[in-house]
Amino acid sequence: MIGVYDYTVVLTYLSTISGVIGIIIATTGIGHPYCGTLFLMISGLLDGFDGKVARTKRNRSDFEKRFGVQIDSLSDLICFGVLPASIGLAQLRCSGRLIDLGRGVEKPDNFALLLLLISIAAFYVLSALVRLAYFNSTEDERAEEAKIKGKEYFTGMPVTAAALVFPLTLVLHWFIAKVDLTIFYFWLLFIMGLLFVANFKVPKPNKKQFAAMIVIGLCELVGVLLILFG
């Protein structure tokens, strides 16, 4: 069989499976968009540790390293590119804005708005795709820069930030029931898409910052679980 199947890529594969399940739940109507959000956060948690697990294998071949980089980016596109856009469309469905399209109405009253929001979702996915392709293409340059400066940087906002940003928006949407944040969610998709491809430097988080992000993510996870099962 082609590919790599040892423990160094298990978390990446599990993250991908979680992302696919989230997309299916969000787009088919078998679950609430918050179910999709739960799987987004699971993918984010798994992605946070997959690189650390991979680096514990000291005798990784060059092929295994290259494969790990590529498979991680492909997984990120699914989990943090397509899934957040799918959650937004699911939120549109639950808010009733997609009902007219679902009934086959030729041109619903909110057709222009729906077209804009769907275009934003597509732009977000494309931005994530471009960013991840750029990230892979500049791997050697980034490694050389890290040796010179002694610190690693990202160019643009990492797509994995989606696992923290969008769940927070949906948790606020739930607890601030009088305010419909559905449209805001799509503007946030647009802003995040721009940040993915913007040319600015973001320092790679250190251990304390990484731990803080994990704590924030766990707090959001508790909020989503309370919404779903509370």
Side-chain angles (χ1 to χ4, degrees), residues 78-120:
I78 294 171
C79 300
F80 312 116
V82 179
L83 178 53
S86 300
I87 293 170
L89 295 176
Q91 187 64 29
L92 272 179
R93 185 188 68 244
C94 290
S95 68
R97 300 174 192 272
L98 284 179
I99 291 178
D100 290 341
L101 285 181
R103 291 175 178 173
V105 177
E106 291 184 1
K107 191 174 182 180
D109 295 336
N110 59 347
F111 178 79
L113 176 61
L114 289 175
L115 183 61
L116 173 63
L117 298 181
I118 292 172
S119 298
I120 289 174

Side-chain angles (χ1 to χ4, degrees), residues 32-217:
H32 196 274
Y34 287 88
C35 295
T37 304
L38 177 61
F39 285 100
L40 171 62
M41 300 180 74
I42 292 173
S43 292
L45 185 63
L46 293 170
D47 181 81
F49 292 97
D50 62 355
K52 292 176 173 54
V53 170
R55 286 189 290 272
T56 61
K57 186 177 181 182
R58 298 182 179 179
N59 60 340
R60 277 199 304 166
S61 66
D62 290 339
F63 168 75
E64 287 176 321
K65 293 177 181 178
R66 292 195 304 270
F67 182 88
V69 171
Q70 297 297 327
I71 202 70
D72 185 67
S73 289
L74 292 171
S75 176
D76 286 352
L77 178 61
I78 294 171
C79 300
F80 312 116
V82 179
L83 178 53
S86 300
I87 293 170
L89 295 176
Q91 187 64 29
L92 272 179
R93 185 188 68 244
C94 290
S95 68
R97 300 174 192 272
L98 284 179
I99 291 178
D100 290 341
L101 285 181
R103 291 175 178 173
V105 177
E106 291 184 1
K107 191 174 182 180
D109 295 336
N110 59 347
F111 178 79
L113 176 61
L114 289 175
L115 183 61
L116 173 63
L117 298 181
I118 292 172
S119 298
I120 289 174
F123 167 76
Y124 173 84
V125 176
L126 178 61
S127 296
L129 173 66
V130 171
R131 177 193 162 67
L132 290 167
Y134 178 84
F135 182 83
N136 286 1
S137 301
T138 58
E139 180 185 4
D140 294 337
E141 291 88 338
R142 286 185 290 106
E144 186 65 27
E145 183 181 10
K147 290 180 181 179
I148 297 173
K149 295 184 177 181
K151 187 174 180 62
E152 293 185 79
Y153 289 86
F154 296 113
T155 300
M157 182 70 70
V159 296
T160 51
L164 289 178
V165 173
F166 295 112
L168 178 60
T169 303
L170 291 175
V171 169
L172 290 175
H173 175 82
W174 179 269
F175 287 104
I176 309 176
K178 294 182 180 180
V179 180
D180 186 357
L181 297 180
T182 300
I183 303 300
F184 174 77
Y185 183 94
F186 278 85
W187 284 118
L188 191 58
L189 280 176
F190 179 70
I191 293 170
M192 289 293 287
L194 290 177
L195 292 177
F196 287 163
V197 295
N199 188 11
F200 65 95
K201 298 291 186 181
V202 179
K204 191 172 183 178
N206 56 35
K207 291 182 179 180
K208 290 184 179 180
Q209 293 168 334
F210 178 76
M213 289 189 290
I214 293 296
V215 171
I216 294 172

